[in-house]
Amino acid sequence: MAAVGGGVLAGYWGLVTGAMPLDVGVGRRTRPLGPQTVGIQAPREVVFDVIAQPYLGRATRAMREKVRVLERGSDMVLAAHFTPVAGGRLTATTVETVRFTRPEQVSFRLVRGPVPAVVESFQLTQHASGTQLEYRGEMETDGWVLGERWSQLVAARWEETVAASLTSVKEEAERRSQSGSERPGR
């Protein structure tokens, strides 16, 4: 009986951390992520540079704890993202492709993680008062109703993490714009 309990615990740990992704293609359900929108008092190019910097440029120390670029191209990277879960006792690792379409969009596609598939994007729209940054995506899970319940848990944490990222992008882009330091790394 202890072996069964240990197996269930190991399976749960594997799913939560992304170490053992489950992608069987049976009972697939899709759910939306977002939209989340934030207004930023900074030019679109500055906002784009803030989003792209940890992937295409030199990441800050704080960002190196959250993102590690595994492979880099001119307009796309493969990156591992690290997110504390279970009250910080575990770290979920997702591996995603990140594609850059300067200056209007950054797109993400899950390669490995706690669910079979996620596609998402940051869309940047220039306005007279600054930039509107909109996040949208879709998450897929397998397993019919069980997968749907799993997606509710995962999506809640996923969208929390995105909201925190949007807040960080807003703060940094506005700081750069106000200080006149619009180039990355300054």
Side-chain angles (χ1 to χ4, degrees):
M1 193 62 150
V4 171
V8 169
L9 183 60
Y12 176 75
W13 175 84
L15 279 174
V16 168
T17 62
M20 190 177 76
L22 180 64
D23 185 357
V24 295
V26 177
R28 178 102 1 140
R29 305 279 176 113
T30 302
R31 64 161 294 137
L33 296 170
Q36 293 184 39
T37 304
V38 62
I40 302 174
Q41 299 295 313
R44 179 167 69 166
E45 292 76 15
V46 173
V47 177
F48 185 92
D49 286 343
V50 168
I51 295 168
Q53 184 174 350
Y55 303 104
L56 300 178
R58 185 170 169 219
T60 63
R61 185 177 335 190
M63 284 307 293
R64 284 192 301 265
E65 294 175 8
K66 297 177 182 180
V67 176
R68 181 177 48 215
V69 174
L70 305 172
E71 187 74 30
R72 188 184 324 253
S74 61
D75 68 343
M76 186 170 88
V77 300
L78 179 66
H81 296 88
F82 308 102
T83 306
V85 293
R89 293 184 307 273
L90 298 173
T91 299
T93 302
T94 60
V95 177
E96 300 175 67
T97 60
V98 186
R99 182 174 299 276
F100 306 92
T101 307
R102 184 173 289 278
E104 65 269 357
Q105 187 170 351
V106 179
S107 303
F108 302 82
R109 180 174 296 276
L110 184 70
V111 175
R112 189 191 91 192
V115 296
V118 176
V119 292
E120 52 197 340
S121 68
F122 290 160
Q123 189 71 40
L124 291 83
T125 307
Q126 184 72 52
H127 296 284
S129 61
T131 302
Q132 177 179 297
L133 172 55
E134 181 180 66
Y135 164 81
R136 287 185 182 270
E138 285 187 344
M139 175 180 287
E140 296 181 358
T141 53
D142 291 340
W144 297 283
V145 173
L146 279 175
E148 192 171 338
R149 288 194 179 132
W150 178 246
S151 78
Q152 290 170 353
L153 292 171
V154 173
R157 182 65 176 118
W158 198 283
E159 289 188 315
E160 249 178 54
T161 301
V162 168
S165 293
L166 294 178
T167 298
S168 294
V169 167
K170 175 182 173 63
E171 290 170 358
E172 178 61 14
E174 289 178 348
R175 184 194 67 76
R176 286 185 190 182
S177 187
Q178 289 171 358
S179 71
S181 161
E182 296 183 7
R183 289 178 290 161
R186 280 187 127 192

